[in-house]
């Protein structure tokens, strides 16, 4: 009765250990599906800027990104591509005329058309005559509609209507006023800025400050395409280099890193329980041999191989281990199915556990079989001097 009770406790401990370790592996995959994973096919966009400190405040050469900074960024394995922003070096303003009576100073930025999430070609996005195509952040339009227009009694503007509105843009270059018509051609969810064609912006900058042609280029910000915005290595490198990005973009990274930390702790706990169970198993088998020392000695004198006897015990234990693994994976598969059906998964999780986990049914018992057999046999040979 005592042996049965000990066996139940032993295999219950193994069952808990397998559930903990295998659950961590499956939860790791689930977390990658929910928060995004590092993949050569994945594309995440972050805007990097340097953190303002008392040492670099007001100093563009320290606060901006030079060619060396960009070259180093390109060497980061987490980074796929980099697109520096050009910023206006001249004064600009806009007004809405009689239709929308407003006046505001403006800033412009330009970036490679390949980095803009608006379906436009270079032909579409270029200055024609006195008309400047403009792309603004969708957040800016929302800010006007829901924050400014409602409070000031101004008409709200739909996206389609906004594309039909022309605003007057005034640019001052070398004390010369230039007037253009600005027309919005798209809204960006990726870039929070006012974008105009980069070539046009760069050409005006050179007219305003010809000395820029002979100076090292310094970019206020850079748009970075990465494999995984939640990569802990990427976050660490950003901190080391004093780079900042949109905190909302990095929120999933923080949640993901904390979740993975918890999973690691649980996995370590599961491995510890498994190692403890393995130790108990070895001790359990040794006790069985001690209890049957006389029987084993007689069998040995009759020609039974000690190695064969140990092998038989190890095989029995490995088969029991396989049964425990099947039960553990079965329970895990049921849990995964209901988790995938729940609202938490948001349709992103698979109904099935990772197929590779089923290989544990074969691999773990085989490894444990050889481990236990060799360990017990060596102990037997050494202690009984067979």
């Amino acid at each position: 009765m005592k042996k049965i009770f000990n066996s139940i406790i032993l295999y219950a401990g193994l069952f808990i250990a397998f559930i903990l370790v295998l659950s961590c592996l499956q939860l790791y995959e689930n977390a990658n599906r929910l928060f995004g994973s590092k993949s050569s096919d994945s594309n995440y966009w972050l805007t990097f800027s340097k953190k303002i400190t008392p040492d670099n405040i007001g100093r563009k050469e320290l606060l901006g990104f030079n060619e060396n900074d960009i070259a180093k960024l390109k060497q980061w394995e987490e980074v796929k591509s980099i697109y520096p922003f050009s910023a206006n070096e001249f004064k600009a303003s806009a007004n809405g005329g009689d239709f929308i009576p407003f006046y505001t100073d403006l800033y412009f930025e330009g970036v490679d058309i390949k980095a803009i999430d608006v379906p436009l070609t270079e032909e579409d996005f270029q200055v024609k005559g006195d008309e400047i195509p403009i792309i603004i952040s969708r957040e800016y339009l929302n800010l006007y509609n829901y924050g400014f227009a409602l409070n000031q009694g101004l008409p709200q503007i739909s996206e389609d209507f906004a594309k039909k509105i022309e605003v007057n843009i005034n640019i001052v270059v070398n004390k010369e006023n230039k007037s253009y018509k600005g027309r919005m051609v798209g809204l960006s969810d990726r870039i929070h800025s006012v974008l105009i064609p980069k070539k046009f912006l760069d050409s005006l900058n050179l007219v305003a400050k010809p000395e820029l042609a002979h100076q090292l280029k310094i970019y206020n910000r850079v748009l970075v395409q990465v494999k995984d915005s939640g990569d802990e290595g990427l976050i660490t490198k950003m901190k080391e280099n004093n780079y900042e990005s949109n905190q909302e973009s990095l929120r999933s990274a923080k949640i993901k890193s904390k979740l993975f930390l918890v999973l690691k702790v649980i996995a370590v706990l599961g491995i510890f329980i498994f190692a403890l169970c393995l130790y108990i198993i070895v001790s359990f088998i040794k006790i069985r041999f001690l209890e049957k020392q006389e029987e084993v000695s007689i069998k040995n004198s009759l020609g039974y191989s000690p190695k064969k006897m140990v092998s038989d015990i190890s095989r029995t234990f490995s088969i029991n281990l396989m049964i425990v693994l099947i039960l553990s994976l079965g329970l895990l598969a049921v849990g995964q199915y209901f988790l995938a059906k729940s609202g938490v998964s948001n349709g992103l999780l698979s109904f099935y556990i990772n197929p590779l986990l089923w290989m544990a049914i074969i691999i773990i018992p085989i490894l444990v079989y050889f481990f236990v057999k060799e360990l017990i046999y060596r102990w037997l040979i050494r202690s009984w001097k067979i």
Side-chain angles (χ1 to χ4, degrees), residues 46-49 192 238 244-251:
L46 297 172
T47 301
F48 282 8
S49 56
H192 300 298
M238 287 177 63
E244 288 185 318
S245 187
N246 187 304
Q247 292 302 307
E248 189 64 27
S249 302
L250 301 176
R251 175 174 292 180

Side-chain angles (χ1 to χ4, degrees), residues 72-323:
K72 289 178 182 176
L73 270 173
K74 288 180 178 176
Q75 294 176 356
W76 292 11
E77 60 180 10
E78 300 86 359
V79 171
K80 297 176 74 172
S81 53
I82 300 169
Y83 300 94
F85 285 98
S86 295
N88 59 303
E89 299 282 351
F90 48 84
K91 288 188 177 181
S93 62
N95 66 76
D98 296 333
F99 181 70
I100 305 178
F102 78 93
Y103 172 87
T104 181
D105 288 330
L106 269 183
Y107 76 97
F108 291 123
E109 285 187 309
V111 70
D112 195 313
I113 188 72
K114 290 185 291 187
I116 301 175
D117 56 334
V118 177
L120 293 174
T121 63
E122 285 201 34
E123 176 66 23
D124 299 327
F125 194 54
Q126 65 175 333
V127 177
K128 296 175 182 175
D130 64 344
E131 185 177 279
I132 302 176
I134 298 174
I135 296 173
I136 66 170
S137 167
R138 191 180 302 279
E139 287 300 316
Y140 294 173
L141 185 61
N142 291 336
L143 185 64
Y144 169 79
N145 280 332
Y146 302 107
F148 186 73
L150 282 178
N151 295 336
Q152 300 298 320
L154 294 172
Q156 290 183 296
I157 300 173
S158 67
E159 181 176 337
D160 289 336
F161 185 67
K163 290 180 180 178
K164 298 176 182 175
I165 299 175
E166 285 187 348
V167 296
N168 301 314
I169 294 179
N170 306 299
I171 292 174
V172 180
V173 179
N174 291 336
K175 299 181 180 179
E176 181 183 349
N177 292 323
K178 296 186 176 183
S179 298
Y180 294 91
K181 295 291 183 184
R183 183 173 58 85
M184 194 190 78
V185 293
L187 298 171
S188 174
D189 293 307
R190 179 183 300 162
I191 303 170
H192 300 298
S193 184
V194 180
L195 300 174
I196 63 174
K198 188 172 183 300
K199 287 181 181 177
F200 175 71
L201 179 62
D202 290 339
S203 64
L204 285 181
N205 281 340
L206 285 177
V207 174
K209 293 184 177 179
E211 64 273 18
L212 292 175
H214 309 291
Q215 295 176 353
L216 292 175
K217 291 184 178 178
I218 296 177
Y219 307 97
N220 295 350
R221 308 189 299 167
V222 291
L223 185 66
V224 184
Q225 185 183 23
V226 298
K227 301 173 185 175
D228 179 8
S229 61
D231 192 303
E232 292 181 42
L234 175 67
I235 306 299
T236 302
K237 288 177 182 175
M238 287 177 63
K239 288 181 179 176
E240 290 174 351
N241 290 277
N242 225 19
Y243 295 163
E244 288 185 318
S245 187
N246 187 304
Q247 292 302 307
E248 189 64 27
S249 302
L250 301 176
R251 175 174 292 180
S252 65
K254 294 176 181 177
I255 296 173
K256 189 176 171 183
S257 64
K258 289 178 181 176
L259 178 63
F260 284 174
L261 179 62
V262 173
L263 291 179
K264 287 176 184 174
V265 172
I266 297 173
V268 169
L269 181 63
I271 292 171
F272 174 75
I273 295 175
F274 176 72
L276 188 62
C277 290
L278 203 59
Y279 173 77
I280 295 172
I281 288 164
V282 172
S283 301
F284 186 70
I285 295 173
K286 284 181 178 180
I287 292 171
R288 286 183 60 184
F289 270 98
L290 286 173
E291 291 174 346
K292 297 181 178 181
Q293 182 173 4
E294 186 176 350
E295 180 185 341
V296 172
S297 298
I298 293 172
K299 285 185 176 180
N300 183 42
S301 62
L302 291 175
Y304 283 91
S305 166
K307 197 166 189 175
K308 177 71 168 51
M309 288 187 278
V310 172
S311 179
D312 290 342
I313 292 175
S314 298
R315 187 184 303 110
T316 302
F317 169 69
S318 295
I319 292 172
N320 293 339
L321 202 62
M322 186 180 291
I323 295 171

